């Protein structure tokens, strides 16, 4: 068996839905994508290990390896996509569409397409008859868009020790050496409902939430003023009030109100420290109204990621891309992959501006340069040089 052409791989990856969502009615298995990648990897001489996630039955990681021993380069990405609103798409999300010099499709840049780039680069190097000198690995994970359970599980792998790892999230092939973390929390206020004609007989959760929000806005300013890393476009940790719901009728005292917030910690600001700051913000309210305010993680918090800009992988990526490594505000699987002890960066085709958007696309003029850069990095890390 031989691997398909670059565009055929791209088409087949897009054609197999693999949405991950906390809503069980939208959530899908990624097994069809994993099986496709496994067949192509085996055709290129890789040994393949497929593992079901302990935290998410029906979801799978793939680890493919060619070469013996530790070290070498691992190319990593996630196989899942976000849910989509079909009414906002002008194209079929699951059919790769070439139009106006763009490749449209769900996952075209975030980030199924990366696997087509990697496998095509390996095939080209094999055709040039260069000798592989270091282990070459491909990692495909599940549930990055929700819990990052796939990356968290692979971080515990007993015998996985690559020297380098590139995570192919869409960065327009600019190397990323650091990013913020991500916490999503629910602030739940429980009051006591009753008839609105007698307010003193109840405890209004919306009124308590008003105080909670005031304290959170103070915390927002505290984070902005106390913590800063100038490498980031937004140099401070952010706190966003994203969703709120409370009460059920105008003539009832609200018995429950819930607010969902998003926090993005900088490197150096630990998840534990940020959680304590959040608890400190609501603790005076709980003293006034005992046990009225709960803080609940909506998912496992994701720590910030940072690597050394002087390491060999960053320098190679900068040389190949002709771009200085940058810091970004979004987060990836990098902090978990880094636990394997490897030099880690994020670098992949496509723009982050297209991620999670209707009519997600990759500009066709970016394909050839990205192919060349990925091939150069793989060649430098794992193959004899080509004249």
């Amino acid at each position: 068996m031989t691997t398909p052409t670059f565009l055929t791989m791209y088409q087949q990856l897009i054609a197999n839905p693999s949405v991950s969502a906390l809503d069980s009615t939208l959530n899908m298995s990624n097994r069809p994508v994993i099986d496709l990648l496994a067949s192509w990897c085996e055709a290129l001489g890789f040994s393949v290990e497929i593992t079901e996630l302990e935290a998410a039955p029906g979801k799978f990681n793939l680890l493919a390896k060619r070469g013996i021993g530790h070290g070498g380069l691992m190319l990593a990405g996630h196989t899942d996509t976000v849910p989509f609103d079909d009414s906002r798409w002008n194209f079929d999300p699951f059919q790769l569409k070439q139009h106006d010099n763009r490749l449209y499709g769900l996952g075209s840049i975030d980030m199924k397409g990366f696997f087509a780039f990697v496998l095509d680069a390996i095939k080209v190097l094999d055709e040039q008859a260069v000798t592989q000198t270091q282990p070459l690995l491909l990692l495909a994970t599940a549930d990055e868009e929700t819990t990052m359970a796939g990356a968290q599980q692979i971080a515990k792998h007993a015998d996985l020790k690559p020297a380098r790892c590139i995570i192919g999230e869409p960065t327009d092939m600019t190397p990323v050496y650091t990013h913020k973390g991500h916490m999503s929390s629910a602030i739940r206020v429980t009051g006591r409902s009753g008839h609105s004609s007698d307010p003193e007989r109840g405890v209004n959760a919306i009124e308590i939430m008003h105080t909670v929000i005031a304290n959170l806005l103070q915390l927002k300013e505290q984070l902005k003023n106390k913590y800063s890393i100038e490498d980031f476009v937004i140099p401070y940790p952010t706190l966003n009030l994203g969703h709120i719901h409370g009460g059920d009728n105008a003539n009832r005292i609200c018995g429950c109100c819930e607010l969902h917030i998003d926090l993005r910690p900088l490197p150096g600001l630990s998840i534990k420290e940020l959680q304590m700051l959040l608890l400190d913000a609501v603790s005076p309210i709980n003293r006034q109204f005992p046990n009225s305010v709960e803080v609940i993680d909506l998912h496992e918090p994701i720590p910030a990621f940072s690597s050394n800009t002087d390491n060999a992988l960053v320098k190679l990526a900068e040389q190949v891309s002709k771009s200085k490594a940058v810091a970004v505000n979004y987060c990836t699987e990098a902090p978990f992959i880094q636990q394997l002890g490897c030099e880690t960066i994020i670098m992949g085709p496509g723009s982050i501006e297209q991620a999670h958007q209707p009519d997600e696309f990759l500009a066709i003029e970016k394909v050839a340069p990205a192919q060349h850069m990925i091939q150069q990095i793989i060649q430098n890390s794992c193959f004899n040089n080509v004249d």
Side-chain angles (χ1 to χ4, degrees), residues 29-88:
S29 175
N30 67 328
R31 187 61 191 253
V33 177
I34 291 291
D35 288 342
L36 266 182
L37 292 173
S39 66
W40 297 337
C41 287
E42 288 170 345
L44 289 170
F46 284 75
S47 59
V48 172
E49 171 188 306
I50 297 174
T51 308
E52 188 169 17
L53 299 194
E54 296 171 4
K59 303 295 186 79
F60 299 85
N61 283 345
L62 174 144
L63 180 62
K65 182 177 181 181
R66 198 172 76 177
I68 298 171
H70 300 311
L73 174 67
M74 182 165 73
L75 290 308
H78 61 84
T79 57
D80 59 319
T81 70
V82 292
F84 64 98
D85 182 348
D86 193 48
S87 67
R88 298 178 65 199

Side-chain angles (χ1 to χ4, degrees), residues 60-373:
F60 299 85
N61 283 345
L62 174 144
L63 180 62
K65 182 177 181 181
R66 198 172 76 177
I68 298 171
H70 300 311
L73 174 67
M74 182 165 73
L75 290 308
H78 61 84
T79 57
D80 59 319
T81 70
V82 292
F84 64 98
D85 182 348
D86 193 48
S87 67
R88 298 178 65 199
W89 277 72
N90 292 304
F91 308 97
D92 183 343
F94 302 115
Q95 181 177 338
L96 189 69
K97 175 70 173 178
Q98 295 189 51
H99 180 73
D100 286 343
N101 293 315
R102 294 172 174 177
L103 293 173
Y104 289 94
L106 182 61
S108 55
I109 55 97
D110 187 21
M111 59 168 293
K112 291 180 180 179
F114 177 67
F115 296 111
F117 277 92
V118 169
L119 293 168
D120 190 67
I122 295 168
K123 182 167 65 172
V124 168
L125 287 166
D126 287 348
E127 289 169 353
Q128 293 175 351
V130 291
T131 303
Q132 184 179 327
T133 57
Q134 293 291 325
L136 182 57
L137 302 99
L138 183 79
L139 171 65
T141 62
D143 279 10
E144 188 271 351
E145 298 290 5
T146 51
T147 63
M148 297 208 180
Q152 293 188 62
Q153 182 162 313
I154 205 71
K156 302 171 186 176
H157 197 289
D159 192 38
L160 180 57
K161 296 179 174 63
R164 299 173 172 179
C165 180
I166 294 177
I167 300 170
E169 294 278 6
T171 69
D172 267 336
M173 295 306 293
T174 297
V176 170
Y177 76 94
T178 185
H179 65 60
K180 294 181 180 179
H182 184 217
M183 285 175 58
S184 291
S185 299
I187 315 294
R188 184 176 297 158
V189 175
T190 303
R192 186 171 67 251
S193 63
H195 198 283
S196 62
S197 63
D198 191 354
E200 298 305 318
R201 297 192 66 177
V203 178
N204 195 308
I206 292 177
E207 292 181 8
I208 297 174
M209 184 62 82
H210 175 77
T211 306
V212 170
I213 290 174
N215 290 6
L216 289 176
L217 292 177
Q218 289 180 359
L219 175 59
K220 179 180 179 178
E221 289 303 305
Q222 177 187 340
L223 293 171
K224 184 175 181 179
N225 295 328
K226 185 176 180 180
Y227 303 94
S228 180
I229 297 178
E230 293 304 319
D231 288 3
F232 289 90
V233 173
I234 301 168
Y236 49 86
T238 56
L239 188 161
N240 180 63
L241 312 181
H243 167 79
I244 191 167
H245 177 78
D248 51 24
N249 207 39
N251 64 359
R252 277 171 58 83
I253 298 167
C254 176
C256 185
C257 186
E258 187 164 299
L259 170 69
H260 292 183
I261 65 173
D262 170 287
L263 298 108
R264 304 275 171 160
L266 292 168
L269 177 57
S270 72
I271 295 295
K272 183 175 289 187
E273 182 179 358
L274 195 52
Q275 287 173 327
M276 289 304 300
L277 289 170
L278 198 53
L279 290 173
D280 288 345
V282 302
S283 61
I285 304 166
N286 271 329
R287 287 195 293 271
Q288 183 180 0
F289 301 96
N291 303 315
S292 63
V293 185
E294 293 178 87
V295 180
I296 305 159
D297 287 336
L298 292 173
H299 61 72
E300 187 76 18
I302 300 156
F305 159 72
S306 186
S307 61
N308 186 342
T309 55
D310 291 328
N311 72 45
L313 180 57
V314 170
K315 293 301 184 186
L316 172 62
E318 289 180 331
Q319 176 188 339
V320 167
S321 66
K322 298 180 174 57
S323 301
K324 292 291 291 182
V326 299
V328 295
N329 297 310
Y330 54 85
C331 69
T332 75
E333 296 172 315
F336 303 111
I337 302 298
Q338 192 180 43
Q339 292 174 26
L340 297 170
C342 49
E343 295 179 355
T344 304
I345 62 169
I346 303 101
M347 181 179 179
S351 168
I352 193 64
E353 298 299 323
Q354 297 304 317
H356 302 187
Q357 298 298 315
D359 294 337
E360 178 184 343
F361 70 85
L362 173 67
I364 289 177
E365 70 265 17
K366 300 292 184 71
V367 170
Q371 286 175 320
H372 182 62
M373 284 184 253

